[in-house]
Structures are given as structure tokens and as C-alpha cells.
Amino acid sequence: MSKVRTSDMTVMQTVPTDASPIGITYAPTRKQVWVACYGGSVIVFDDAKLKG
């Protein structure tokens, strides 16, 4: 998964996920990024701790 600055499309950070990510959502009130993967896993990233 890559974090992209939309003003100039610069990739700010890339972090690994499980195989075959199929969905992503952002919870702004919690500053969390949720990634669903085909194998059934859901990974939650703390956006406050991600670089960028």
C-alpha cells in the first residue's frame, strides 16, 4: 500500500500488506487505514504513525 500526496502525486511511503489487497478505506476520526485482503485478513494501519 502506498501513501500518495495528491498535490503532486509523490509517493510518500509504501508499506507491505498481506497478499492480494482488494479494498481500502480511511477512518479520519481515528486516523486509521483499513486494508482488506483476498485471503480474509483485514490490516489496520495507524496513519498518525505513518510517515508523510
Side-chain angles (χ1 to χ4, degrees), residues 26-42:
Y26 183 65
T29 58
R30 294 183 171 207
K31 296 189 186 298
Q32 293 177 329
V33 180
W34 292 57
V35 180
C37 298
Y38 187 74
S41 63
V42 175

Side-chain angles (χ1 to χ4, degrees), residues 5-48:
R5 182 174 55 214
T6 58
S7 63
D8 60 4
M9 299 308 289
T10 297
V11 175
M12 304 300 293
Q13 183 180 23
T14 300
V15 294
T17 67
D18 289 348
S20 304
I22 57 172
I24 186 169
T25 192
Y26 183 65
T29 58
R30 294 183 171 207
K31 296 189 186 298
Q32 293 177 329
V33 180
W34 292 57
V35 180
C37 298
Y38 187 74
S41 63
V42 175
I43 305 167
V44 181
F45 294 93
D46 184 349
D47 190 42

